[in-house]
Amino acid sequence: MNDIPGEAGPGFSLELNEDVRDIRDWAHGFARDVIRPAAAEWDEREETPWPVLQEAAKIGLYSLDFFANQWFEPSGVGLPVAFEELYWGDSGIALSITGTGLAAVAVAGTGTQEQLYEWVPQMFGSADDIKLGAFCSSEPDAGSDVSAIRTRAVYDEAKDEWVLNGTKTWATNGGIADVHVVVASVDPELGARGQATFIVPPNTPGLSQGQKFAKHGIRASHTAEVILDDVRVPGSCLLGGKEKLDERLARAREGRSSGGQAAMKTFEKSRPTVGAMAVGCARAAYEYARDYATQREQFGKPIGDNQGVAFTLADMTTRIDAARLLVWRAAWMARNDKDFSRAEGSMSKLYAGETAAWVTQEAIRILGGNGYTREYPVERWHRDATIFTIFEGASEIQRLIIGRAATGLPVR
């Protein structure tokens, strides 16, 4: 029984409150009426869907107020519920709308209150002047292994500036963002414990976009390299401040706990919302396959009458519901400052991502040859779903984290 977390108590309920239901319906309406009709076009164009972003900004869906209100929503599930609906619409366009949120989470997680108030508004702008944020952690030789980050930040004490050099990759909004949030090494000998996170303000000399990637899926979201060539930022752009960094580095050099890795703190907080993205993508494919199975006839009856198809649909909807519940639990825990002692955040991301990949694949199989063509959206959803097993911690990394939590064995 010790492995079962928490007790329900007399007030336990999975019913969404009225505010969250309103947000869900609002996001679903936008996904249905604006995102879905534009999805195929922007997937083919492989460009940031600025007209859709503008529509989202006009109604307040792409705004700091929306993200902040849902981030602090009491139940914790407001943001996952909204994300599920947006990614039900289309994962590529939805990532263009929500991608700035990861940079904002990085500032919220490691920055001071003053830094939060100064920089996060500049990542969103206004309905008349849309801005973007980009979180830059991964590098050509440092993806899952964040300890291998080579981007270097050196402090110039005379000018109270940090000088950044290196190359980041796989950055959502990389190079086109107004504000970049960059993880860099300040003490390479300490590995991941010697890293810090920096704000690179708009129009800072030395920052440029490298290669823009042509991707298998989520093609309406901009993904690119970010080149940092003697990029100078004020000392105030070190998230958390230098005094806090110096204390953390001193603890690490003495072999004491340094308070966690800069990049991993951001990913920890974002995993439940990534799980919600995957649930939305999976649900879209399941619903389409379900409706197709009730209308498509072979041998004189709907194919859904066949046990093989019906059982697959049953497994699809069961796995989607299970993934959603894992996401909601992790989101509730994060909102209530509960430690992920059993790696509950990783559980939610792992299971939801794997579910999305499997459900979208089975949706193609149910549609048969039609599912394999671009005339039907399940092919696009399957391409999109693959990313949920890769970004912000590949499935193998999630299993490693969960396994370590289960065994209690130290990281080696």
Side-chain angles (χ1 to χ4, degrees), residues 357-388:
W358 179 80
V359 166
T360 54
Q361 174 183 288
E362 293 306 302
I364 289 177
R365 289 164 61 88
I366 288 173
L367 269 68
N370 286 335
Y372 200 65
T373 70
R374 293 195 178 183
E375 293 180 28
Y376 291 78
V378 291
E379 173 272 340
R380 184 176 73 252
W381 293 330
H382 182 51
R383 286 189 285 107
D384 291 341
T386 306
I387 196 62
F388 300 120

PDB file of all heavy atoms in Angstrom, residues 357-388:
ATOM      1  N   ALA A 357       1.802   7.982 -29.951  1.00  0.00           N
ATOM      2  CA  ALA A 357       2.467   7.307 -31.071  1.00  0.00           C
ATOM      3  C   ALA A 357       1.707   6.046 -31.471  1.00  0.00           C
ATOM      4  O   ALA A 357       1.508   5.769 -32.669  1.00  0.00           O
ATOM      5  CB  ALA A 357       3.905   6.964 -30.693  1.00  0.00           C
ATOM      6  N   TRP A 358       1.254   5.274 -30.487  1.00  0.00           N
ATOM      7  CA  TRP A 358       0.549   4.025 -30.775  1.00  0.00           C
ATOM      8  C   TRP A 358      -0.851   4.272 -31.330  1.00  0.00           C
ATOM      9  O   TRP A 358      -1.263   3.649 -32.316  1.00  0.00           O
ATOM     10  CB  TRP A 358       0.467   3.157 -29.510  1.00  0.00           C
ATOM     11  CG  TRP A 358      -0.265   1.865 -29.737  1.00  0.00           C
ATOM     12  CD1 TRP A 358       0.244   0.734 -30.306  1.00  0.00           C
ATOM     13  CD2 TRP A 358      -1.645   1.588 -29.438  1.00  0.00           C
ATOM     14  NE1 TRP A 358      -0.729  -0.233 -30.372  1.00  0.00           N
ATOM     15  CE2 TRP A 358      -1.896   0.254 -29.840  1.00  0.00           C
ATOM     16  CE3 TRP A 358      -2.668   2.328 -28.856  1.00  0.00           C
ATOM     17  CZ2 TRP A 358      -3.137  -0.341 -29.694  1.00  0.00           C
ATOM     18  CZ3 TRP A 358      -3.914   1.736 -28.704  1.00  0.00           C
ATOM     19  CH2 TRP A 358      -4.139   0.417 -29.122  1.00  0.00           C
ATOM     20  N   VAL A 359      -1.592   5.174 -30.725  1.00  0.00           N
ATOM     21  CA  VAL A 359      -2.967   5.443 -31.162  1.00  0.00           C
ATOM     22  C   VAL A 359      -2.988   5.973 -32.588  1.00  0.00           C
ATOM     23  O   VAL A 359      -3.823   5.548 -33.407  1.00  0.00           O
ATOM     24  CB  VAL A 359      -3.655   6.432 -30.195  1.00  0.00           C
ATOM     25  CG1 VAL A 359      -4.949   6.982 -30.813  1.00  0.00           C
ATOM     26  CG2 VAL A 359      -3.971   5.755 -28.865  1.00  0.00           C
ATOM     27  N   THR A 360      -2.102   6.890 -32.911  1.00  0.00           N
ATOM     28  CA  THR A 360      -2.105   7.446 -34.268  1.00  0.00           C
ATOM     29  C   THR A 360      -1.710   6.393 -35.297  1.00  0.00           C
ATOM     30  O   THR A 360      -2.214   6.392 -36.428  1.00  0.00           O
ATOM     31  CB  THR A 360      -1.177   8.661 -34.367  1.00  0.00           C
ATOM     32  OG1 THR A 360       0.136   8.312 -33.891  1.00  0.00           O
ATOM     33  CG2 THR A 360      -1.709   9.825 -33.542  1.00  0.00           C
ATOM     34  N   GLN A 361      -0.813   5.493 -34.913  1.00  0.00           N
ATOM     35  CA  GLN A 361      -0.445   4.403 -35.819  1.00  0.00           C
ATOM     36  C   GLN A 361      -1.630   3.473 -36.072  1.00  0.00           C
ATOM     37  O   GLN A 361      -1.909   3.077 -37.212  1.00  0.00           O
ATOM     38  CB  GLN A 361       0.705   3.590 -35.220  1.00  0.00           C
ATOM     39  CG  GLN A 361       1.057   2.342 -36.018  1.00  0.00           C
ATOM     40  CD  GLN A 361       2.160   1.538 -35.353  1.00  0.00           C
ATOM     41  OE1 GLN A 361       3.303   1.957 -35.357  1.00  0.00           O
ATOM     42  NE2 GLN A 361       1.805   0.406 -34.762  1.00  0.00           N
ATOM     43  N   GLU A 362      -2.358   3.139 -34.999  1.00  0.00           N
ATOM     44  CA  GLU A 362      -3.514   2.260 -35.149  1.00  0.00           C
ATOM     45  C   GLU A 362      -4.638   2.942 -35.927  1.00  0.00           C
ATOM     46  O   GLU A 362      -5.405   2.278 -36.627  1.00  0.00           O
ATOM     47  CB  GLU A 362      -4.004   1.804 -33.772  1.00  0.00           C
ATOM     48  CG  GLU A 362      -3.030   0.887 -33.037  1.00  0.00           C
ATOM     49  CD  GLU A 362      -2.643  -0.324 -33.875  1.00  0.00           C
ATOM     50  OE1 GLU A 362      -3.550  -1.079 -34.275  1.00  0.00           O
ATOM     51  OE2 GLU A 362      -1.435  -0.499 -34.139  1.00  0.00           O
ATOM     52  N   ALA A 363      -4.747   4.258 -35.805  1.00  0.00           N
ATOM     53  CA  ALA A 363      -5.753   4.996 -36.577  1.00  0.00           C
ATOM     54  C   ALA A 363      -5.485   4.844 -38.070  1.00  0.00           C
ATOM     55  O   ALA A 363      -6.417   4.653 -38.870  1.00  0.00           O
ATOM     56  CB  ALA A 363      -5.750   6.466 -36.175  1.00  0.00           C
ATOM     57  N   ILE A 364      -4.221   4.910 -38.469  1.00  0.00           N
ATOM     58  CA  ILE A 364      -3.872   4.697 -39.873  1.00  0.00           C
ATOM     59  C   ILE A 364      -4.292   3.295 -40.308  1.00  0.00           C
ATOM     60  O   ILE A 364      -4.857   3.098 -41.387  1.00  0.00           O
ATOM     61  CB  ILE A 364      -2.365   4.906 -40.095  1.00  0.00           C
ATOM     62  CG1 ILE A 364      -2.014   6.394 -39.964  1.00  0.00           C
ATOM     63  CG2 ILE A 364      -1.932   4.392 -41.471  1.00  0.00           C
ATOM     64  CD1 ILE A 364      -0.528   6.697 -40.099  1.00  0.00           C
ATOM     65  N   ARG A 365      -4.030   2.307 -39.466  1.00  0.00           N
ATOM     66  CA  ARG A 365      -4.374   0.928 -39.808  1.00  0.00           C
ATOM     67  C   ARG A 365      -5.877   0.749 -39.971  1.00  0.00           C
ATOM     68  O   ARG A 365      -6.341   0.019 -40.858  1.00  0.00           O
ATOM     69  CB  ARG A 365      -3.837  -0.013 -38.733  1.00  0.00           C
ATOM     70  CG  ARG A 365      -2.318  -0.144 -38.768  1.00  0.00           C
ATOM     71  CD  ARG A 365      -1.783  -0.750 -37.483  1.00  0.00           C
ATOM     72  NE  ARG A 365      -2.311  -2.095 -37.260  1.00  0.00           N
ATOM     73  CZ  ARG A 365      -1.773  -3.210 -37.726  1.00  0.00           C
ATOM     74  NH1 ARG A 365      -0.678  -3.138 -38.486  1.00  0.00           N
ATOM     75  NH2 ARG A 365      -2.282  -4.390 -37.441  1.00  0.00           N
ATOM     76  N   ILE A 366      -6.661   1.416 -39.132  1.00  0.00           N
ATOM     77  CA  ILE A 366      -8.118   1.306 -39.235  1.00  0.00           C
ATOM     78  C   ILE A 366      -8.607   1.927 -40.542  1.00  0.00           C
ATOM     79  O   ILE A 366      -9.522   1.403 -41.197  1.00  0.00           O
ATOM     80  CB  ILE A 366      -8.790   1.960 -38.016  1.00  0.00           C
ATOM     81  CG1 ILE A 366      -8.581   1.081 -36.765  1.00  0.00           C
ATOM     82  CG2 ILE A 366     -10.288   2.168 -38.260  1.00  0.00           C
ATOM     83  CD1 ILE A 366      -9.055   1.703 -35.474  1.00  0.00           C
ATOM     84  N   LEU A 367      -7.988   3.026 -40.952  1.00  0.00           N
ATOM     85  CA  LEU A 367      -8.380   3.658 -42.216  1.00  0.00           C
ATOM     86  C   LEU A 367      -7.794   2.943 -43.428  1.00  0.00           C
ATOM     87  O   LEU A 367      -8.203   3.211 -44.568  1.00  0.00           O
ATOM     88  CB  LEU A 367      -7.952   5.126 -42.243  1.00  0.00           C
ATOM     89  CG  LEU A 367      -8.973   6.142 -41.718  1.00  0.00           C
ATOM     90  CD1 LEU A 367      -9.191   5.992 -40.228  1.00  0.00           C
ATOM     91  CD2 LEU A 367      -8.566   7.563 -42.059  1.00  0.00           C
ATOM     92  N   GLY A 368      -6.831   2.055 -43.203  1.00  0.00           N
ATOM     93  CA  GLY A 368      -6.231   1.323 -44.313  1.00  0.00           C
ATOM     94  C   GLY A 368      -5.469   2.241 -45.241  1.00  0.00           C
ATOM     95  O   GLY A 368      -4.760   3.153 -44.808  1.00  0.00           O
ATOM     96  N   GLY A 369      -5.632   2.017 -46.542  1.00  0.00           N
ATOM     97  CA  GLY A 369      -4.920   2.826 -47.530  1.00  0.00           C
ATOM     98  C   GLY A 369      -5.253   4.296 -47.420  1.00  0.00           C
ATOM     99  O   GLY A 369      -4.392   5.158 -47.650  1.00  0.00           O
ATOM    100  N   ASN A 370      -6.501   4.607 -47.068  1.00  0.00           N
ATOM    101  CA  ASN A 370      -6.881   6.011 -46.903  1.00  0.00           C
ATOM    102  C   ASN A 370      -6.054   6.681 -45.811  1.00  0.00           C
ATOM    103  O   ASN A 370      -5.679   7.852 -45.920  1.00  0.00           O
ATOM    104  CB  ASN A 370      -8.367   6.118 -46.552  1.00  0.00           C
ATOM    105  CG  ASN A 370      -9.265   5.852 -47.742  1.00  0.00           C
ATOM    106  OD1 ASN A 370      -8.861   6.042 -48.882  1.00  0.00           O
ATOM    107  ND2 ASN A 370     -10.484   5.394 -47.487  1.00  0.00           N
ATOM    108  N   GLY A 371      -5.785   5.944 -44.759  1.00  0.00           N
ATOM    109  CA  GLY A 371      -5.030   6.516 -43.651  1.00  0.00           C
ATOM    110  C   GLY A 371      -3.604   6.861 -43.998  1.00  0.00           C
ATOM    111  O   GLY A 371      -2.966   7.668 -43.315  1.00  0.00           O
ATOM    112  N   TYR A 372      -3.101   6.253 -45.057  1.00  0.00           N
ATOM    113  CA  TYR A 372      -1.707   6.451 -45.457  1.00  0.00           C
ATOM    114  C   TYR A 372      -1.545   7.641 -46.406  1.00  0.00           C
ATOM    115  O   TYR A 372      -0.428   8.017 -46.741  1.00  0.00           O
ATOM    116  CB  TYR A 372      -1.177   5.173 -46.121  1.00  0.00           C
ATOM    117  CG  TYR A 372       0.324   5.066 -46.151  1.00  0.00           C
ATOM    118  CD1 TYR A 372       1.056   4.949 -44.972  1.00  0.00           C
ATOM    119  CD2 TYR A 372       1.018   5.066 -47.362  1.00  0.00           C
ATOM    120  CE1 TYR A 372       2.436   4.842 -45.001  1.00  0.00           C
ATOM    121  CE2 TYR A 372       2.398   4.954 -47.396  1.00  0.00           C
ATOM    122  CZ  TYR A 372       3.105   4.841 -46.221  1.00  0.00           C
ATOM    123  OH  TYR A 372       4.480   4.736 -46.242  1.00  0.00           O
ATOM    124  N   THR A 373      -2.662   8.237 -46.812  1.00  0.00           N
ATOM    125  CA  THR A 373      -2.606   9.364 -47.744  1.00  0.00           C
ATOM    126  C   THR A 373      -2.799  10.682 -47.011  1.00  0.00           C
ATOM    127  O   THR A 373      -3.381  10.734 -45.925  1.00  0.00           O
ATOM    128  CB  THR A 373      -3.704   9.244 -48.813  1.00  0.00           C
ATOM    129  OG1 THR A 373      -4.989   9.476 -48.203  1.00  0.00           O
ATOM    130  CG2 THR A 373      -3.697   7.861 -49.451  1.00  0.00           C
ATOM    131  N   ARG A 374      -2.362  11.745 -47.646  1.00  0.00           N
ATOM    132  CA  ARG A 374      -2.499  13.064 -47.031  1.00  0.00           C
ATOM    133  C   ARG A 374      -3.893  13.651 -47.219  1.00  0.00           C
ATOM    134  O   ARG A 374      -4.150  14.772 -46.763  1.00  0.00           O
ATOM    135  CB  ARG A 374      -1.436  14.008 -47.592  1.00  0.00           C
ATOM    136  CG  ARG A 374      -0.041  13.609 -47.173  1.00  0.00           C
ATOM    137  CD  ARG A 374       0.976  14.696 -47.407  1.00  0.00           C
ATOM    138  NE  ARG A 374       2.299  14.280 -46.954  1.00  0.00           N
ATOM    139  CZ  ARG A 374       3.374  15.049 -46.984  1.00  0.00           C
ATOM    140  NH1 ARG A 374       3.283  16.287 -47.453  1.00  0.00           N
ATOM    141  NH2 ARG A 374       4.533  14.598 -46.562  1.00  0.00           N
ATOM    142  N   GLU A 375      -4.768  12.917 -47.873  1.00  0.00           N
ATOM    143  CA  GLU A 375      -6.153  13.362 -47.972  1.00  0.00           C
ATOM    144  C   GLU A 375      -6.877  13.208 -46.642  1.00  0.00           C
ATOM    145  O   GLU A 375      -7.930  13.808 -46.431  1.00  0.00           O
ATOM    146  CB  GLU A 375      -6.884  12.568 -49.057  1.00  0.00           C
ATOM    147  CG  GLU A 375      -6.388  12.841 -50.467  1.00  0.00           C
ATOM    148  CD  GLU A 375      -7.142  12.040 -51.505  1.00  0.00           C
ATOM    149  OE1 GLU A 375      -8.323  11.714 -51.238  1.00  0.00           O
ATOM    150  OE2 GLU A 375      -6.570  11.732 -52.560  1.00  0.00           O
ATOM    151  N   TYR A 376      -6.310  12.405 -45.762  1.00  0.00           N
ATOM    152  CA  TYR A 376      -6.916  12.163 -44.446  1.00  0.00           C
ATOM    153  C   TYR A 376      -5.924  12.614 -43.369  1.00  0.00           C
ATOM    154  O   TYR A 376      -4.712  12.385 -43.491  1.00  0.00           O
ATOM    155  CB  TYR A 376      -7.253  10.679 -44.270  1.00  0.00           C
ATOM    156  CG  TYR A 376      -8.382  10.216 -45.156  1.00  0.00           C
ATOM    157  CD1 TYR A 376      -8.165   9.944 -46.508  1.00  0.00           C
ATOM    158  CD2 TYR A 376      -9.668  10.059 -44.655  1.00  0.00           C
ATOM    159  CE1 TYR A 376      -9.198   9.520 -47.327  1.00  0.00           C
ATOM    160  CE2 TYR A 376     -10.718   9.633 -45.466  1.00  0.00           C
ATOM    161  CZ  TYR A 376     -10.474   9.371 -46.804  1.00  0.00           C
ATOM    162  OH  TYR A 376     -11.513   8.953 -47.619  1.00  0.00           O
ATOM    163  N   PRO A 377      -6.407  13.232 -42.287  1.00  0.00           N
ATOM    164  CA  PRO A 377      -5.496  13.859 -41.321  1.00  0.00           C
ATOM    165  C   PRO A 377      -4.736  12.902 -40.420  1.00  0.00           C
ATOM    166  O   PRO A 377      -3.777  13.321 -39.765  1.00  0.00           O
ATOM    167  CB  PRO A 377      -6.432  14.738 -40.482  1.00  0.00           C
ATOM    168  CG  PRO A 377      -7.768  14.066 -40.567  1.00  0.00           C
ATOM    169  CD  PRO A 377      -7.823  13.494 -41.953  1.00  0.00           C
ATOM    170  N   VAL A 378      -5.134  11.621 -40.362  1.00  0.00           N
ATOM    171  CA  VAL A 378      -4.453  10.719 -39.422  1.00  0.00           C
ATOM    172  C   VAL A 378      -2.984  10.537 -39.778  1.00  0.00           C
ATOM    173  O   VAL A 378      -2.146  10.309 -38.900  1.00  0.00           O
ATOM    174  CB  VAL A 378      -5.169   9.353 -39.319  1.00  0.00           C
ATOM    175  CG1 VAL A 378      -6.521   9.509 -38.639  1.00  0.00           C
ATOM    176  CG2 VAL A 378      -5.307   8.694 -40.674  1.00  0.00           C
ATOM    177  N   GLU A 379      -2.657  10.636 -41.052  1.00  0.00           N
ATOM    178  CA  GLU A 379      -1.246  10.538 -41.470  1.00  0.00           C
ATOM    179  C   GLU A 379      -0.430  11.667 -40.855  1.00  0.00           C
ATOM    180  O   GLU A 379       0.685  11.456 -40.354  1.00  0.00           O
ATOM    181  CB  GLU A 379      -1.189  10.564 -43.001  1.00  0.00           C
ATOM    182  CG  GLU A 379       0.204  10.641 -43.598  1.00  0.00           C
ATOM    183  CD  GLU A 379       0.708  12.065 -43.777  1.00  0.00           C
ATOM    184  OE1 GLU A 379      -0.107  13.010 -43.807  1.00  0.00           O
ATOM    185  OE2 GLU A 379       1.947  12.223 -43.887  1.00  0.00           O
ATOM    186  N   ARG A 380      -0.989  12.878 -40.860  1.00  0.00           N
ATOM    187  CA  ARG A 380      -0.286  14.025 -40.270  1.00  0.00           C
ATOM    188  C   ARG A 380      -0.194  13.874 -38.752  1.00  0.00           C
ATOM    189  O   ARG A 380       0.852  14.162 -38.156  1.00  0.00           O
ATOM    190  CB  ARG A 380      -1.019  15.323 -40.619  1.00  0.00           C
ATOM    191  CG  ARG A 380      -0.308  16.578 -40.118  1.00  0.00           C
ATOM    192  CD  ARG A 380      -0.997  17.857 -40.544  1.00  0.00           C
ATOM    193  NE  ARG A 380      -2.243  18.102 -39.817  1.00  0.00           N
ATOM    194  CZ  ARG A 380      -3.457  17.983 -40.348  1.00  0.00           C
ATOM    195  NH1 ARG A 380      -3.601  17.623 -41.617  1.00  0.00           N
ATOM    196  NH2 ARG A 380      -4.537  18.226 -39.627  1.00  0.00           N
ATOM    197  N   TRP A 381      -1.273  13.421 -38.127  1.00  0.00           N
ATOM    198  CA  TRP A 381      -1.253  13.260 -36.674  1.00  0.00           C
ATOM    199  C   TRP A 381      -0.219  12.220 -36.246  1.00  0.00           C
ATOM    200  O   TRP A 381       0.417  12.366 -35.209  1.00  0.00           O
ATOM    201  CB  TRP A 381      -2.640  12.877 -36.165  1.00  0.00           C
ATOM    202  CG  TRP A 381      -3.652  13.971 -36.331  1.00  0.00           C
ATOM    203  CD1 TRP A 381      -3.408  15.324 -36.314  1.00  0.00           C
ATOM    204  CD2 TRP A 381      -5.049  13.832 -36.558  1.00  0.00           C
ATOM    205  NE1 TRP A 381      -4.581  16.020 -36.516  1.00  0.00           N
ATOM    206  CE2 TRP A 381      -5.606  15.141 -36.666  1.00  0.00           C
ATOM    207  CE3 TRP A 381      -5.907  12.732 -36.677  1.00  0.00           C
ATOM    208  CZ2 TRP A 381      -6.966  15.361 -36.869  1.00  0.00           C
ATOM    209  CZ3 TRP A 381      -7.257  12.954 -36.884  1.00  0.00           C
ATOM    210  CH2 TRP A 381      -7.780  14.251 -36.983  1.00  0.00           C
ATOM    211  N   HIS A 382      -0.033  11.176 -37.064  1.00  0.00           N
ATOM    212  CA  HIS A 382       0.964  10.174 -36.730  1.00  0.00           C
ATOM    213  C   HIS A 382       2.373  10.756 -36.821  1.00  0.00           C
ATOM    214  O   HIS A 382       3.228  10.493 -35.964  1.00  0.00           O
ATOM    215  CB  HIS A 382       0.830   8.967 -37.663  1.00  0.00           C
ATOM    216  CG  HIS A 382       1.800   7.861 -37.364  1.00  0.00           C
ATOM    217  ND1 HIS A 382       1.966   7.334 -36.107  1.00  0.00           N
ATOM    218  CD2 HIS A 382       2.671   7.195 -38.166  1.00  0.00           C
ATOM    219  CE1 HIS A 382       2.881   6.370 -36.152  1.00  0.00           C
ATOM    220  NE2 HIS A 382       3.329   6.282 -37.378  1.00  0.00           N
ATOM    221  N   ARG A 383       2.617  11.565 -37.863  1.00  0.00           N
ATOM    222  CA  ARG A 383       3.926  12.215 -37.977  1.00  0.00           C
ATOM    223  C   ARG A 383       4.173  13.141 -36.789  1.00  0.00           C
ATOM    224  O   ARG A 383       5.270  13.196 -36.237  1.00  0.00           O
ATOM    225  CB  ARG A 383       4.015  12.996 -39.286  1.00  0.00           C
ATOM    226  CG  ARG A 383       4.171  12.120 -40.516  1.00  0.00           C
ATOM    227  CD  ARG A 383       4.483  12.933 -41.756  1.00  0.00           C
ATOM    228  NE  ARG A 383       3.336  13.659 -42.297  1.00  0.00           N
ATOM    229  CZ  ARG A 383       3.154  14.964 -42.228  1.00  0.00           C
ATOM    230  NH1 ARG A 383       4.051  15.737 -41.637  1.00  0.00           N
ATOM    231  NH2 ARG A 383       2.079  15.540 -42.764  1.00  0.00           N
ATOM    232  N   ASP A 384       3.125  13.881 -36.407  1.00  0.00           N
ATOM    233  CA  ASP A 384       3.257  14.801 -35.275  1.00  0.00           C
ATOM    234  C   ASP A 384       3.507  14.056 -33.963  1.00  0.00           C
ATOM    235  O   ASP A 384       4.308  14.491 -33.135  1.00  0.00           O
ATOM    236  CB  ASP A 384       1.983  15.643 -35.121  1.00  0.00           C
ATOM    237  CG  ASP A 384       1.787  16.642 -36.250  1.00  0.00           C
ATOM    238  OD1 ASP A 384       2.760  16.952 -36.958  1.00  0.00           O
ATOM    239  OD2 ASP A 384       0.649  17.123 -36.417  1.00  0.00           O
ATOM    240  N   ALA A 385       2.813  12.930 -33.771  1.00  0.00           N
ATOM    241  CA  ALA A 385       2.857  12.226 -32.488  1.00  0.00           C
ATOM    242  C   ALA A 385       4.245  11.722 -32.139  1.00  0.00           C
ATOM    243  O   ALA A 385       4.591  11.587 -30.955  1.00  0.00           O
ATOM    244  CB  ALA A 385       1.868  11.056 -32.494  1.00  0.00           C
ATOM    245  N   THR A 386       5.057  11.457 -33.145  1.00  0.00           N
ATOM    246  CA  THR A 386       6.391  10.920 -32.896  1.00  0.00           C
ATOM    247  C   THR A 386       7.209  11.816 -31.972  1.00  0.00           C
ATOM    248  O   THR A 386       8.001  11.338 -31.154  1.00  0.00           O
ATOM    249  CB  THR A 386       7.140  10.725 -34.230  1.00  0.00           C
ATOM    250  OG1 THR A 386       6.345   9.919 -35.097  1.00  0.00           O
ATOM    251  CG2 THR A 386       8.478  10.046 -34.019  1.00  0.00           C
ATOM    252  N   ILE A 387       7.007  13.119 -32.073  1.00  0.00           N
ATOM    253  CA  ILE A 387       7.813  14.050 -31.291  1.00  0.00           C
ATOM    254  C   ILE A 387       7.594  13.876 -29.797  1.00  0.00           C
ATOM    255  O   ILE A 387       8.495  14.158 -28.985  1.00  0.00           O
ATOM    256  CB  ILE A 387       7.535  15.517 -31.711  1.00  0.00           C
ATOM    257  CG1 ILE A 387       8.633  16.462 -31.184  1.00  0.00           C
ATOM    258  CG2 ILE A 387       6.169  15.983 -31.234  1.00  0.00           C
ATOM    259  CD1 ILE A 387      10.010  16.173 -31.715  1.00  0.00           C
ATOM    260  N   PHE A 388       6.426  13.414 -29.396  1.00  0.00           N
ATOM    261  CA  PHE A 388       6.132  13.326 -27.964  1.00  0.00           C
ATOM    262  C   PHE A 388       6.919  12.219 -27.272  1.00  0.00           C
ATOM    263  O   PHE A 388       6.956  12.157 -26.050  1.00  0.00           O
ATOM    264  CB  PHE A 388       4.624  13.144 -27.740  1.00  0.00           C
ATOM    265  CG  PHE A 388       3.809  14.272 -28.300  1.00  0.00           C
ATOM    266  CD1 PHE A 388       2.851  14.039 -29.285  1.00  0.00           C
ATOM    267  CD2 PHE A 388       4.002  15.570 -27.871  1.00  0.00           C
ATOM    268  CE1 PHE A 388       2.115  15.083 -29.818  1.00  0.00           C
ATOM    269  CE2 PHE A 388       3.276  16.618 -28.399  1.00  0.00           C
ATOM    270  CZ  PHE A 388       2.330  16.381 -29.383  1.00  0.00           C
TER     271      PHE A 388
END
